[in-house]
Amino acid sequence: MKIQINEEFCIGCRLCEVYCLVEHSQSKDIVKAFKREAPRALARVHVEENGPVSFALQCRHCNTPSCVYACLTGAMHKDENGVVLHNPDRCIGCWSCIMVCPFGAITRDERGRKVASKCDLCPGRTTPSCVEHCPNEALTLVAEA
Ligand code: SF4
Ligand code: SF4
C-alpha cells in the first residue's frame, strides 16, 4: 500500500501535516498535541509549494526500497505487507537512508536521540490520517502496483 497524491487537487492547506502530527502524538488530541505535549510530535508528510503548484511528500513504500538496503542496523525494514517501517530503537542516526531516498521522504528527528522519521501509513487505522482529513481528496491510499 502507498499514498498517492493528485497535485491537481492539492491546495497547499497543510492539513495533512496537521493531522499526521496529531496521529503521531501521545494524546491524538489536536489541542493537546500542539499546545501541551513536549516535545511536540512530528509530521511524517511535508507539503512542497512552488507558486500555484503544491503537493504532499511522503514515503512511497517502494518495492525495492533504497533506504532499507542502505540501513546498516535493520532499523529501516519492510514488513510482511510491503510497508516500509522504521524502528527508532535500532536507529543510530547515520542518515544513510536520508541520503539514498530518491523522494526526500525521510526526515531527521532531533528532538532527543537523533533518529530517522518517516511515514508509517498510520498503523491501527484503516485509512491513514492524512488521507482521511484531506478536504479535497488529493490523497488516496492505493495498493502497490
Ligand atoms: S523512504 Fe524513500 S527509498 Fe525508502 S521506501 Fe520510502 S520512498 Fe522508497
Ligand atoms: S538513520 Fe537510522 S534508519 Fe536511517 S540508515 Fe541510519 S540507522 Fe538506518
Side-chain angles (χ1 to χ4, degrees):
M1 305 294 283
K2 65 179 175 183
I3 296 168
Q4 227 168 38
I5 172 79
N6 186 340
E7 292 128 40
E8 287 294 306
F9 298 143
C10 177
I11 56 171
C13 67
R14 297 183 185 269
L15 278 175
C16 52
E17 292 182 359
V18 169
Y19 282 97
C20 179
L21 185 155
V22 172
E23 180 64 24
H24 293 93
S25 69
Q26 286 174 29
S27 62
K28 298 189 192 289
D29 175 280
I30 192 166
V31 175
K32 289 180 186 158
F34 276 87
K35 296 177 80 78
R36 311 247 165 83
E37 290 184 22
R40 186 183 282 177
L42 293 179
R44 286 114 185 271
V45 56
H46 303 281
V47 175
E48 296 284 342
E49 264 185 294
N50 189 355
V53 179
S54 59
F55 62 91
L57 180 67
Q58 68 227 123
C59 176
R60 305 293 207 281
H61 299 276
C62 307
N63 282 333
T64 51
S66 305
C67 60
V68 172
Y69 299 127
C71 182
L72 298 170
T73 66
M76 204 64 84
H77 60 283
K78 211 171 186 21
D79 77 2
E80 61 280 7
N81 299 314
V83 180
V84 175
L85 295 173
H86 174 250
N87 178 353
D89 294 337
R90 298 188 71 163
C91 184
I92 55 171
C94 68
W95 312 141
S96 300
C97 54
I98 292 178
M99 289 188 274
V100 300
C101 175
F103 300 103
I106 309 174
T107 54
R108 300 176 184 199
D109 177 355
E110 299 184 310
R111 297 170 304 161
R113 194 172 60 83
K114 294 179 180 164
V115 291
S117 172
K118 67 179 283 300
C119 165
D120 55 8
L121 291 182
C122 297
R125 291 180 67 101
T126 317
T127 307
S129 194
C130 58
V131 175
E132 186 176 312
H133 290 97
C134 175
N136 254 6
E137 297 183 9
L139 297 170
T140 43
L141 184 66
V142 296
E144 188 66 67

